[in-house]
């Protein structure tokens, strides 16, 4: 059966590329993806044919990949992080019934919630959720509701897409919502260009996070009531307690 791999390449540097992802990219004779993501694997596969589309052309990209697979090519849809977390796996699977001879195989990768957390320390030591601040596909009112309820429930938060040229105030607006549920000293952190040249990070309180100028290549972490800064690392305890309050392994 003809095949399209939905491949998560992690943050984009070779050390984050899993063996399964590398094998899929090697097997493919066509790489498809967003231009920036294809550039991240250019040095590893310089001779592979490529098909790139810009942002907002995701459907065209997936249809082309499926069409090429239907014609007998083995295609890899390159996604940053994990293909199933804000990636192209879901769209490929939605469109795949129109190409009955094509199999979509989802290849997992290292999403920014995990690779970014490792840079900061261990901020996701207990229950957490991921929320994208992009309102291109989700109404902002719904994003606000999710932020407020997650914070109220005590979830740690990992925020994707905190800002862009057209959404320069998204992070500030999100912090305004969170500050209605969380104290201003809540420990937060962010990581930019995870695993790439120019990687940088910062740990700071929620009140200061509101003023940060971040971008689409940054992932933001919002702590909960137990999150602490310990020796310069953002740490959330696992939280399992016995009846006497002692931590359980």
């Amino acid at each position: 059966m003809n095949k399209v791999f939905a491949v998560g390449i992690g943050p984009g540097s070779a050390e984050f590329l899993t063996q399964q992802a590398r094998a899929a990219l090697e097997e493919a004779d066509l790489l498809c993806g967003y231009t920036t993501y294809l550039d991240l694997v250019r040095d590893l596969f310089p001779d592979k044919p490529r098909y790139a589309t810009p942002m907002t052309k995701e459907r065209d990209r997936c249809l082309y990949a499926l069409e090429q697979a239907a014609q007998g090519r083995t295609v890899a849809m390159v996604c940053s992080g994990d293909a199933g977390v804000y990636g192209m796996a879901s769209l490929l699977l939605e469109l795949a019934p129109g190409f009955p001879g094509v199999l979509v195989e989802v290849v997992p990768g290292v999403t920014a919630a995990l690779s970014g957390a490792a840079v900061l320390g261990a901020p996701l030591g207990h229950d957490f959720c991921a929320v994208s601040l992009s309102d291109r596909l989700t109404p902002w009112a719904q994003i606000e509701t999710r932020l407020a309820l997650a914070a109220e429930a005590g979830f740690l938060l990992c925020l994707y897409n905190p800002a862009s040229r057209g959404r320069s105030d998204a992070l500030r607006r999100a912090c305004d919502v969170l500050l209605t549920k969380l104290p201003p000293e809540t420990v937060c952190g962010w990581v930019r260009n995870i695993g790439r040249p120019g990687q940088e990070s910062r740990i700071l309180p929620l009140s200061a996070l509101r003023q940060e100028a971040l971008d689409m290549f940054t992932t933001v972490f919002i702590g909960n009531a137990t999150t602490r800064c310990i020796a310069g690392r953002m740490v959330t305890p696992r939280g399992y307690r016995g009846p006497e309050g002692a931590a359980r392994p």
Side-chain angles (χ1 to χ4, degrees):
M1 178 175 283
N2 301 332
K3 185 181 293 185
V4 175
F5 293 105
V7 183
I9 62 169
S13 51
E15 60 265 30
F16 283 96
L17 194 64
T18 68
Q19 292 182 351
Q20 186 181 3
R22 185 183 291 270
L25 294 174
E26 289 174 348
E27 182 179 343
D29 48 43
L30 172 66
L31 305 182
C32 294
Y34 174 50
T35 308
T36 299
Y37 302 156
L38 289 178
D39 287 343
L40 294 174
V41 296
R42 183 187 295 273
D43 291 343
L44 295 176
F45 305 97
D47 300 323
K48 293 273 187 181
R50 299 148 50 95
Y51 176 80
T53 62
M55 287 289 186
T56 75
K57 297 296 183 181
E58 290 85 357
R59 185 179 179 87
D60 293 346
R61 189 188 312 159
C62 289
L63 283 172
Y64 183 84
L66 291 164
E67 290 166 356
Q68 291 299 303
Q71 294 174 22
R73 305 182 79 171
T74 300
V75 182
M77 176 64 69
V78 177
C79 305
S80 177
D82 179 273
V85 180
Y86 303 118
M88 293 296 102
S90 58
L91 184 53
L92 282 169
L93 290 170
E94 287 179 41
L95 296 171
F99 300 84
V102 176
L103 171 68
V104 175
E105 181 175 329
V106 181
V107 179
V110 183
T111 186
L114 304 182
S115 54
V119 174
L120 293 174
L124 304 181
H126 208 292
D127 299 336
F128 70 93
C129 61
V131 177
S132 170
L133 298 189
S134 172
D135 60 357
R136 189 167 65 83
L137 298 177
T138 305
W140 181 257
Q142 189 171 12
I143 294 172
E144 286 187 333
T145 298
R146 290 173 176 174
L147 291 170
L149 293 177
E152 185 174 348
F155 283 104
L156 301 150
L157 276 161
C158 181
L159 305 183
Y160 286 66
N161 307 315
S164 68
R165 292 179 182 177
R167 299 181 298 104
S168 59
D169 64 340
L171 180 61
R172 176 188 59 77
R173 294 171 67 189
C175 289
D176 287 344
V177 173
L178 294 172
L179 283 165
T180 67
K181 304 295 181 180
L182 301 172
E185 64 270 18
T186 299
V187 178
C188 300
W190 56 258
V191 189
R192 178 186 283 120
N193 293 324
I194 304 169
R196 306 177 193 173
Q199 175 181 291
E200 55 183 326
S201 63
R202 186 183 178 194
I203 297 173
L204 69 173
L206 178 58
S207 57
L209 177 65
R210 185 181 183 278
Q211 309 300 327
E212 294 290 272
L214 303 180
D215 57 27
M216 289 287 286
F217 298 103
T218 307
T219 307
V220 178
F221 297 81
I222 311 293
N224 66 11
T226 69
T227 306
R228 300 289 182 266
C229 183
I230 302 175
R233 312 298 294 278
M234 185 177 177
V235 180
T236 302
R238 292 175 64 199
Y240 300 111
R241 302 284 173 178
E244 296 80 26
R248 290 178 176 171

